[in-house]
C-alpha cells in the first residue's frame, strides 16, 4: 500500500512539469530586465539555459542564503524540489535603477494542477554586466 501512495505522489509531481510561465520575453525589456525575466521564467519551466549567473552569484530568501554560486543556482532552477510546486507566475512588474532590477509578481503553487497557495514575490536582482550576481527575495502570502 505504501508503494502505491509513493507512486501516486510521484505521478503528481511529474505532472507539475507541464506548468507554463507568463514571464515570456518582452521586446520592451532592457537587457537587465530580460535577464531577470529569464530567471522568473525558469522558476516555472525548470530550464535555466537562458539564465546567466556570475560564478559567485548568491541568493537570499526571506533573510536566509539559499544560493551560494552560479552553478548551484542553475542546478536548483533545473532540478530543485523547492521549485517543482510552482504552477505559474502572473502580474509581473519590473523596474530598473542602475544595475538593479526589482520585480514584483504573484506565484501560484500546487500539486497535480490543483492550486494550493499564491504568494507575492518581490525580488531584487543585481546584474552588474550581463549576468546575475545577487538576488534578494521577499515572500508575502496573498489572502
Amino acid at each position: 500500500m505504501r508503494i502505491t501512495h509513493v507512486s501516486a505522489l510521484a505521478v503528481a509531481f511529474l505532472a507539475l512539469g507541464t506548468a507554463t510561465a507568463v514571464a515570456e520575453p518582452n521586446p520592451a525589456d532592457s537587457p537587465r530586465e530580460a535577464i531577470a525575466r529569464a530567471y522568473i521564467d525558469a522558476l516555472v519551466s525548470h530550464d535555466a539555459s537562458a539564465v546567466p549567473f556570475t560564478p559567485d552569484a548568491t541568493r537570499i530568501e526571506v533573510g536566509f542564503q539559499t544560493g551560494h554560486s552560479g552553478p548551484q543556482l542553475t542546478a536548483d532552477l533545473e532540478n530543485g524540489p523547492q521549485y517543482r510546486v510552482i504552477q505559474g507566475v502572473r502580474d509581473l512588474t519590473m523596474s530598473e535603477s542602475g544595475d538593479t532590477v526589482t520585480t514584483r509578481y504573484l506565484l501560484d503553487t500546487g500539486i497535480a494542477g490543483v492550486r494550493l497557495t499564491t504568494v507575492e514575490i518581490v525580488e531584487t536582482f543585481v546584474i552588474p554586466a550581463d549576468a546575475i550576481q545577487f538576488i534578494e527575495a521577499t515572500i508575502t502570502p496573498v489572502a
Side-chain angles (χ1 to χ4, degrees):
M1 179 121 165
R2 186 172 186 91
I3 292 173
T4 302
H5 291 290
V6 172
S7 296
L9 186 58
V11 169
F13 278 106
L14 287 174
L16 293 174
T18 62
T20 58
V22 296
E24 297 165 357
N26 182 335
D29 287 348
S30 72
R32 285 183 175 90
E33 288 172 333
I35 290 170
R37 187 180 299 271
Y39 173 89
I40 294 167
D41 184 53
L43 290 172
V44 179
S45 71
H46 312 297
D47 176 3
S49 62
V51 185
F53 290 105
T54 62
D56 62 343
T58 56
R59 182 172 187 274
I60 305 293
E61 182 176 312
V62 292
F64 296 97
Q65 188 166 357
T66 59
H68 303 11
S69 72
Q72 180 250 319
L73 286 163
T74 297
D76 280 357
L77 284 171
E78 293 187 348
N79 304 303
Q82 68 272 36
Y83 298 121
R84 294 293 171 182
V85 296
I86 297 173
Q87 291 185 326
V89 170
R90 56 192 166 94
D91 300 341
L92 172 64
T93 61
M94 293 192 284
S95 63
E96 183 175 356
S97 178
D99 63 359
T100 301
V101 175
T102 302
T103 63
R104 180 181 304 270
Y105 55 93
L106 297 178
L107 184 140
D108 298 317
T109 64
I111 296 176
V114 177
R115 185 182 305 167
L116 296 177
T117 189
T118 299
V119 294
E120 180 184 59
I121 308 285
V122 176
E123 280 184 300
T124 302
F125 297 84
V126 176
I127 308 170
D130 57 358
I132 298 169
Q133 183 177 41
F134 177 76
I135 305 167
E136 184 170 11
T138 60
I139 302 170
T140 307
V142 174

